[in-house]
């Protein structure tokens, strides 16, 4: 008869894997405060270090987005997300966010230009015109504004 040593119900390696799975699930749900132990060694230590850096990098990106959102909401000049030292989808995410900021700034500038033109027209400035080269809805607004000014001369 062969005697087989019974394995503990859960050895250290299994407990570490359970913690990794729990941390991954928490991070997937959006918990930015999750981390793995920093005292693990070997492959588990490398996994923990990479995971903890991933969570920290994600938290930094979220904080930058929140500060950008707050700046836009307050009318302040939003800061662009820094793109240096980023690679892969992190770089793509920052570049996309920066393009959105630029689009919002152009839109806000056009709105200020329309307001200034309306105020000049209200004061009787019949020479007031909006640019003819704006694309999209802003261009249609500018064309309509210019047509109304021309019709009322």
């Amino acid at each position: 008869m062969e005697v087989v040593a019974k394995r503990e119900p859960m050895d250290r390696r299994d407990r570490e894997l359970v913690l990794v799975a729990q941390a991954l699930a928490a991070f997937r749900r959006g918990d930015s405060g999750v981390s793995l132990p920093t005292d693990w060694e070997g492959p588990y230590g490398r996994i923990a270090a990479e995971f903890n850096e991933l969570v920290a990098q994600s938290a930094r990106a979220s904080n930058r987005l929140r500060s950008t959102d707050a700046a836009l909401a307050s009318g302040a000049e939003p800061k662009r997300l820094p793109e240096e030292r980023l690679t892969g989808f992190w770089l793509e995410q920052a570049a996309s966010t920066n393009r959105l900021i630029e689009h919002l700034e152009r839109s806000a500038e056009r709105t200020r230009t329309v307001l200034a033109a309306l105020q000049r027209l209200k004061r009787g400035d019949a020479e007031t015109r909006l640019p003819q080269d704006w694309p999209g809805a802003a261009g249609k607004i500018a064309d309509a504004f210019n047509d109304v000014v021309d019709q009322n001369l």
Side-chain angles (χ1 to χ4, degrees):
M1 176 192 238
E2 183 177 328
V3 177
V4 178
K6 289 188 177 181
R7 206 174 115 173
E8 290 182 37
M10 188 180 289
D11 65 11
R12 178 177 167 237
R13 188 176 55 225
D14 291 338
R15 285 191 302 275
E16 289 170 345
L17 283 175
V18 167
L19 285 175
V20 168
Q22 289 172 341
L24 285 168
F27 184 62
R28 180 184 48 78
R29 289 189 309 271
D31 182 354
S32 62
V34 66
S35 66
L36 290 171
T38 58
D39 60 348
W40 286 356
E41 297 176 354
Y44 290 98
R46 289 195 310 271
I47 289 169
E50 289 295 331
F51 176 81
N52 292 341
E53 180 53 33
L54 177 63
V55 170
Q57 187 167 343
S58 181
R60 287 190 299 271
S62 291
N63 288 337
R64 286 191 297 265
L65 286 173
R66 274 194 298 279
S67 73
T68 299
D69 180 45
L72 288 168
S74 71
E77 178 82 17
K79 293 182 181 176
R80 302 291 188 275
L81 298 181
E83 296 179 24
E84 65 276 357
R85 298 184 353 208
L86 296 177
T87 59
F89 73 85
W90 294 103
L91 177 60
E92 291 171 14
Q93 183 183 47
S96 293
T97 301
N98 289 337
R99 284 190 299 273
L100 285 171
I101 291 169
E102 290 165 11
H103 175 74
L104 289 170
E105 287 176 335
R106 276 192 308 276
S107 179
E109 178 59 32
R110 288 178 181 142
T111 301
R112 286 188 292 274
T113 301
V114 169
L115 175 61
L118 285 169
Q119 290 170 332
R120 286 191 308 273
L121 186 62
K122 180 180 172 184
R123 288 191 306 268
D125 182 353
E127 300 299 314
T128 298
R129 297 288 185 279
L130 289 174
Q132 296 178 337
D133 61 348
W134 286 353
K140 290 181 180 184
I141 291 169
D143 290 344
F145 177 89
N146 293 338
D147 289 346
V148 168
V149 171
D150 289 339
Q151 289 173 2
N152 288 308
L153 283 180

